[in-house]
Every structure is written in structure tokens, then in C-alpha cells.
Amino acid sequence: MSNSAASAVLTTGDLSEAIRAVRTLLDLADLGQAEVDFEAVVRTPGVLAQVRHVLPDLQWWALAGKEHGSAEAGDDPADCLPIRVFDWCRPLDRAEPFIAALGPDPAAVRWDLGAWPAVPEAGLEEISQKYAYLTLSVNSRDLYQDEPSQDHTVHVHVRDGDGDQIARVHWLAARVDGRFTGRVELAPL
């Protein structure tokens, strides 16, 4: 198993600004085999209903632990709130409806990209699918919803431990009028 380095490049209280940044970065990436993954903490029946409308076959378990309820056990998630949601390998068109469904609840939406592009003027080669990811943390500053917040953070992922990739992080940040904040989280792949 390897890790990617998820670098925060934009934090904003304006969700529409964060979504615009994500769209800009997606326009740069190879989306040929891209898919999107979701993680969230859902706390209220209203948000749960909206999220289930977007992802009807939702995978989840009670925040208190699977023994307190899970999709796997056939439990009703409304009886087990708050719940942790994990849903992977969805089509890209599910991302924005999922984000809109969240209300104030924290989540991470991760786009698994085909590649980050080559940037010859910066001396960067194309970076493969294995290390090409983009995450939007909604109502949270981190990838795992451990730091709930009223703002949203865009993270770009590159190969962990590859010093040359810091140039890529700066280049990607500049595309969205952001800046590399120095905050990096390891993300298991």
C-alpha cells in the first residue's frame, strides 16, 4: 500500500467558490476513467433523506460503531443517526448533487482522476492515475471529517515523498487563485 500527499490549496467559506475551483481542476485533469468517492457524517433525518435521494444504495454504519447499526445488517439509517457514510466508485455527475444534499454536515468528496497533466514549463511530467486525486472537504478542513468547520477545503493529491511534486501543487493552486498552505495529509490509496 502507498499513500498520496493531499495538499490544501484553497480554503473558503463560500461553497460555490470551492466548487468552481474543483471544476477548474477537473478541466485540467484526464477524466477518461475518473470516478468519485464519498465520505460523510450525516447527523439529521433531513440530510439523510437528501443524501439517500442522490445515493439510494448508500453504504453506512452508525457513528458509534457497526454494532449500533449498518447498511450491511439491513438496519434503517434513520434509526441510527448520526451515521458515517462511505460510498465509492460513483459516476462524476453524482458529486455536486451529493454536496448540495449535505447541508451543514461534514464530508469529503474525492475524485479519482485518470492523470494530472504534464506541465513542461514547470518541468513536470504527467502524473498517473495512482497519484492523481482531488478532494473537496465540505464543512471540514480535513479529509476525514475530524475537523468540522464552516468552511471548505480543496486538496490536490500527489505522490507522497516526491519533492518535485511540490511544484505541481503550487502550479495547481495557482490555477484556482489559491496557494499551497503547507497543510498536507497522508491519504492511503
Side-chain angles (χ1 to χ4, degrees):
M1 178 180 267
S2 59
N3 296 316
S4 71
S7 302
V9 296
L10 179 72
T11 298
T12 177
D14 182 351
L15 184 56
S16 61
E17 178 184 6
I19 290 171
R20 276 191 305 277
V22 165
R23 287 177 185 157
T24 298
L25 293 168
L26 290 173
D27 286 345
L28 296 169
D30 172 357
L31 300 179
Q33 297 182 11
E35 56 192 23
V36 67
D37 303 331
F38 306 100
E39 296 183 19
V41 174
V42 175
R43 299 183 185 286
T44 65
V47 170
L48 176 61
Q50 293 177 100
V51 167
R52 289 184 83 185
H53 180 74
V54 176
L55 300 171
D57 300 324
L58 193 63
Q59 296 301 310
W60 65 272
W61 59 79
L63 194 59
K66 286 185 179 182
E67 65 276 6
H68 297 279
S70 71
E72 188 176 275
D75 297 315
D76 181 349
D79 294 337
C80 303
L81 293 170
I83 62 171
R84 184 166 290 278
V85 171
F86 289 91
D87 215 327
W88 297 281
C89 306
R90 296 296 184 164
L92 298 183
D93 67 355
R94 297 293 74 213
E96 289 191 36
F98 178 79
I99 293 165
L102 291 169
D105 289 347
V109 178
R110 185 180 84 181
W111 289 262
D112 301 351
L113 309 171
W116 286 122
V119 185
E121 65 273 19
L124 297 170
E125 296 178 2
E126 181 179 276
I127 189 169
S128 75
Q129 176 183 15
K130 184 171 181 174
Y131 297 104
Y133 299 93
L134 170 64
T135 300
L136 173 58
S137 296
V138 180
N139 301 316
S140 177
R141 291 204 175 164
D142 68 313
L143 300 177
Y144 306 103
Q145 302 86 57
D146 293 329
E147 271 185 78
S149 175
Q150 292 184 349
D151 52 25
H152 321 284
T153 300
V154 176
H155 307 265
V156 295
H157 297 243
V158 296
R159 186 174 22 254
D160 180 38
D162 188 343
D164 292 343
Q165 295 306 317
I166 294 301
R168 181 176 309 279
V169 170
H170 285 285
W171 186 83
L172 290 167
R175 308 287 72 79
V176 297
D177 296 326
R179 65 179 182 79
F180 175 44
T181 65
R183 280 188 24 211
V184 178
E185 292 181 68
L186 290 183
L189 302 175

